[in-house]
Amino acid sequence: MTEIANQPAEPQVAITTPIESAARPTHRPKRTYNPVTSVIKHVVLIAASLLMIYPLLWMLVSSFRPTDEIFRDTGLIPANATLDNYTYGWTALDQPFGFYLLNSAIVVVGCILGNVVSCSLAAYAFARLKFTGRTIMFAIMLLTIMIPYHVVLVPQYILFQNFGWVNTFLPLIVPKMLATDSFFVFLMVQFIRGLPKELDEAARIDGCGHFSTFLRIILPLMVPAIATTTIFTFIWMWNDFLSSLIYLIDPKMYTVPLALRAFLDSTGQSNWGAMFAMSVVSLIPVFLAFLFGQRFLIRGIATTGIK
Amino acid sequence: VSALNELRQLKGAKQEATDNKAAYLFLLPWLIGLVVITIGPMIASLYLSFTDYSLLAPPEWIGIKNYQRMMSDPRLLNSVRVTLTYVLVSTPLQLGLALLIAVVLNRGMKGLPFYRSVFYLPSLMGSSVAIALLWRQIFGTDGLVNQVLRGLGWSNPPGWIADPSTALYTIILLHVWTFGSPMIIFLAGLRQIPDMYYEAASVDGASKWTQFWHITMPLLSPIIFFNLVLQIIGAFQSFTQAFIVSGGNGGPSDSTMFYTLYLYQRGFANLEMGYAAAMAWLLVLIVAAFTFVNFLLSKYWVFYDD
């Protein structure tokens, strides 16, 4: 490809600490810009941004419109703004929509607690402890990131059915308590490796065992990695559809995605206004997580390279 | 930076003094999960793939019949074709767009945080049911897109989702729309490239285009490769969008019948658990084959600089 690329490629890459590098401010020397190309660039980027978020903005505005208007008005200014869609949508299913929000919240909180505790324990062992079988176990941990979920879907269902866990939140939460989301283990391992080892050694000299070193030294310093894990778990589980679809059959156990799907089935194409309104309600928590957690999200994906 | 590089490095690692007892205690939840939630079910799934099992009666060993049946199941073969189209069209488009925008944004751009946020937001929402519902409206026969097209004078535009020849492409577009997360990874990678390379190239009179192909691409190639591998694996597992956009049946005329959707229907609607397990293993083989080919091809274009 180039002179650079033609050098023999060594199958080795230095362990960088991407968290530091991703967060490192860039001190680039100022370049001279052609103001015309700069303006063109911004115009194109702004047009692209608008195109990207137009569907979201339009859904938000349309949720305040009567349904027949949704199918006529392509603009962003509502002619007859109304809250009817929200009041109707909130009570259109068996339970008020808040009920499904609460179900989703229970699942999400359980999964966050599970992931944070189990993944940080495993990450500490991989990052700081020497033990027999470490290399192979670490390799297995990394490989499990790449295994398609569907290959365990059927046997897991049979297993959880035998436990009597169908129509409970346990099939969604318990796997997280067992650190099956390997990418969070990997993310935390990367983070712990970036912390100075002298801290552990000082704690050891002061008489701390591994557990108190972990609890008192490492865990408090891991807050950014825990925040990233929390926000990603929150968004993924809030949006989770497939596992909920399989395990939560009883409408009383529906999470928000299942409630929205029930909306589609029950009102069909007839009440888009109410469906949009509840869709907006379901996206508000995701948007808030994005708004307040963006820093951690961006750091997290820059570190592990996982969406 | 990546899990793949970690795997490379494990070759030749050495062990020193050990802390077995403490380590296994810390790893206990993960180990239980690995055995009970991942490896155990994988083995069980392999066994079930050689059985006829409907949950109601015990599994019955039928040898390779499930696999034979798959090879002559036209709906399955169609779902493979649909899924391959989806993966092979949407992944390059998504990554290409992510790279393009990242390169445009990178070079000391004003307003970077704003653009980055706007481009990133859709990738957080893209997998939700709410957005899939929105897509149903937007690309419906009388939806937003067709309203706009009619306004522009196209009196009879296709009913994108209702039309078997276009339905899949609306879902592909939805996937491309979520290019924000690979974009963030590329932006982080671009930051690692020392400025002096570009300065030296400028002094030598290299154009921006030459700089991109001879500096940016080689140095970013490990990150592009890593994204390619993971995005392909992820795309093969897409489910929610096809399910909601098609109303759960993969229609019209199976044109959005993703492999995972067909697997779900066989396993959980028809309770053909043995067949579904065999399908799951075929998926693993397909994904593994793609990953393997990716690794083979990588030595021709991926450049490791140290």
Side-chain angles (χ1 to χ4, degrees):
Chain A
M1 208 186 290
T2 67
E3 288 93 332
I4 303 175
N6 283 335
Q7 289 170 4
E10 293 286 327
Q12 283 213 341
V13 169
I15 302 174
T16 52
T17 46
I19 288 171
E20 284 164 26
S21 42
R24 186 184 62 201
T26 47
H27 299 291
R28 294 188 185 286
K30 272 259 175 217
R31 283 203 196 75
T32 48
Y33 283 109
N34 181 344
V36 177
T37 47
S38 176
V39 166
I40 292 174
K41 222 162 143 184
H42 277 285
V43 169
V44 171
L45 279 173
I46 287 170
S49 310
L50 255 179
L51 193 66
M52 286 285 289
I53 53 163
Y54 196 86
L56 296 175
L57 294 175
W58 182 79
M59 175 164 73
L60 178 64
V61 173
S62 293
S63 69
F64 295 103
R65 283 179 174 136
T67 293
D68 58 324
E69 226 173 88
I70 293 175
F71 281 86
R72 283 200 314 269
D73 200 336
T74 56
L76 288 184
I77 297 147
N80 309 298
T82 164
L83 281 174
D84 288 357
N85 291 330
Y86 285 86
T87 50
Y88 176 80
W90 191 265
T91 53
L93 298 172
D94 293 347
Q95 307 285 336
F97 206 77
F99 186 85
Y100 307 112
L101 290 170
L102 186 66
N103 279 350
S104 270
I106 294 170
V107 171
V108 162
V109 169
C111 290
I112 289 173
L113 288 176
N115 265 344
V116 166
V117 172
S118 67
C119 295
S120 62
L121 285 171
Y124 177 76
F126 281 127
R128 283 293 204 254
L129 302 180
K130 304 260 186 287
F131 53 93
T132 319
R134 174 176 151 171
T135 310
I136 181 84
M137 282 195 223
F138 194 59
I140 291 173
M141 191 273 289
L142 293 176
L143 279 174
T144 54
I145 298 179
M146 296 174 213
I147 293 172
Y149 172 56
H150 297 82
V151 72
V152 295
L153 195 64
V154 167
Q156 259 185 30
Y157 179 81
I158 296 165
L159 181 74
F160 291 143
Q161 200 206 26
N162 282 327
F163 290 172
W165 285 3
V166 172
N167 277 324
T168 71
F169 299 138
L170 293 173
L172 308 180
I173 298 173
V174 169
K176 311 289 174 199
M177 295 175 152
L178 300 173
T180 49
D181 277 349
S182 308
F183 26 78
F184 293 126
V185 180
F186 179 58
L187 178 128
M188 290 175 174
V189 169
Q190 292 279 69
F191 192 89
I192 297 175
R193 280 177 179 167
L195 302 174
K197 270 207 164 134
E198 289 76 15
L199 291 172
D200 303 42
E201 279 151 23
R204 195 73 28 80
I205 291 163
D206 289 349
C208 282
H210 283 301
F211 192 72
S212 51
T213 308
F214 168 72
L215 207 62
R216 295 191 195 162
I217 312 291
I218 302 292
L219 212 53
L221 291 171
M222 267 176 73
V223 168
I226 291 172
T228 306
T229 303
T230 301
I231 298 164
F232 268 120
T233 307
F234 175 82
I235 292 175
W236 290 350
M237 288 315 292
W238 189 265
N239 289 339
D240 172 78
F241 183 64
L242 179 56
S243 353
S244 315
L245 180 69
I246 287 169
Y247 291 111
L248 308 176
I249 316 293
D250 178 357
K252 278 206 167 59
M253 301 306 289
Y254 277 4
T255 53
V256 168
L258 291 180
L260 285 176
R261 185 228 170 182
F263 232 104
L264 180 68
D265 289 348
S266 64
T267 62
Q269 308 280 3
S270 59
N271 201 332
W272 278 99
M275 205 145 74
F276 273 4
M278 291 308 107
S279 294
V280 168
V281 168
S282 80
L283 288 178
I284 289 172
V286 178
F287 182 74
L288 291 177
F290 162 77
L291 204 63
F292 295 109
Q294 213 198 141
R295 194 158 62 96
F296 297 108
L297 289 173
I298 285 173
R299 228 185 250 186
I301 41 180
T303 308
T304 56
I306 289 163
K307 57 176 176 176
Chain B
V1 178
S2 72
L4 300 182
N5 293 337
E6 292 283 329
L7 275 176
R8 285 166 184 282
Q9 281 186 334
L10 287 176
K11 286 189 265 177
K14 283 238 168 87
Q15 291 296 319
E16 299 144 37
T18 54
D19 256 324
N20 285 342
K21 208 175 136 199
Y24 294 143
L25 270 178
F26 275 97
L27 284 174
L28 195 61
W30 176 79
L31 278 169
I32 295 173
L34 183 71
V35 173
V36 179
I37 307 285
T38 308
I39 292 182
M42 279 181 77
I43 295 166
S45 159
L46 189 61
Y47 163 72
L48 286 174
S49 76
F50 295 103
T51 66
D52 182 9
Y53 184 41
S54 65
L55 285 183
L56 309 169
E60 186 191 331
W61 184 268
I62 56 166
I64 58 164
K65 275 196 186 140
N66 284 326
Y67 291 93
Q68 284 172 334
R69 184 179 149 204
M70 282 198 296
M71 293 308 126
S72 55
D73 179 348
R75 295 191 76 195
L76 181 132
L77 298 175
N78 171 67
S79 76
V80 170
R81 194 184 52 78
V82 167
T83 307
L84 284 178
T85 310
Y86 173 76
V87 172
L88 294 177
V89 175
S90 68
T91 312
L93 281 177
Q94 187 210 29
L95 290 181
L97 198 58
L99 183 60
L100 176 76
I101 303 276
V103 168
V104 170
L105 286 183
N106 181 46
R107 306 270 94 199
M109 188 80 193
K110 264 196 190 137
L112 169 70
F114 169 77
Y115 292 123
R116 190 176 56 191
S117 298
V118 170
F119 291 132
Y120 182 46
L121 180 61
S123 57
L124 293 179
M125 300 185 165
S127 68
S128 66
V129 169
I131 295 299
L133 288 173
L134 172 64
W135 234 246
R136 262 176 88 89
Q137 201 288 339
I138 291 181
F139 290 99
T141 310
D142 296 311
L144 177 63
V145 165
N146 279 355
Q147 294 299 320
V148 171
L149 290 176
R150 285 190 189 116
L152 295 173
W154 187 356
S155 58
N156 196 16
W160 310 104
I161 283 173
D163 186 334
S165 63
T166 50
L168 176 59
Y169 290 91
T170 65
I171 303 175
I172 288 176
L173 191 67
L174 175 49
H175 188 64
V176 175
W177 187 60
T178 63
F179 71 83
S181 45
M183 180 196 76
I184 302 273
I185 305 171
F186 291 149
L187 276 170
L190 287 170
R191 267 190 191 191
Q192 313 267 29
I193 303 177
D195 249 6
M196 58 180 186
Y197 290 2
Y198 294 102
E199 280 150 17
S202 295
V203 171
D204 290 347
S207 69
K208 293 266 167 179
W209 186 247
T210 316
Q211 289 180 26
F212 174 77
W213 284 107
H214 291 251
I215 299 172
T216 310
M217 276 305 274
L219 291 177
L220 205 60
S221 61
I223 296 174
I224 298 175
F225 171 62
F226 175 63
N227 266 293
L228 188 67
V229 169
L230 281 189
Q231 290 292 343
I232 286 180
I233 294 172
F236 269 109
Q237 299 177 65
S238 296
F239 176 81
T240 311
Q241 271 46 46
F243 187 98
I244 297 294
V245 168
S246 72
N249 60 20
S253 6
D254 277 358
S255 64
T256 60
M257 181 62 95
F258 280 30
Y259 193 85
T260 52
L261 191 45
Y262 191 53
L263 192 155
Y264 167 80
Q265 287 196 349
R266 283 288 155 199
F268 293 91
N270 299 8
L271 292 184
E272 298 172 53
M273 292 293 184
Y275 195 58
M279 281 188 69
W281 269 97
L282 180 64
L283 180 67
V284 171
L285 291 181
I286 294 174
V287 170
F290 265 80
T291 309
F292 181 69
V293 170
N294 251 327
F295 270 91
L296 278 188
L297 293 179
S298 73
K299 71 170 179 216
Y300 298 106
W301 66 278
V302 179
F303 162 69
Y304 293 99
D305 73 340
D306 49 8

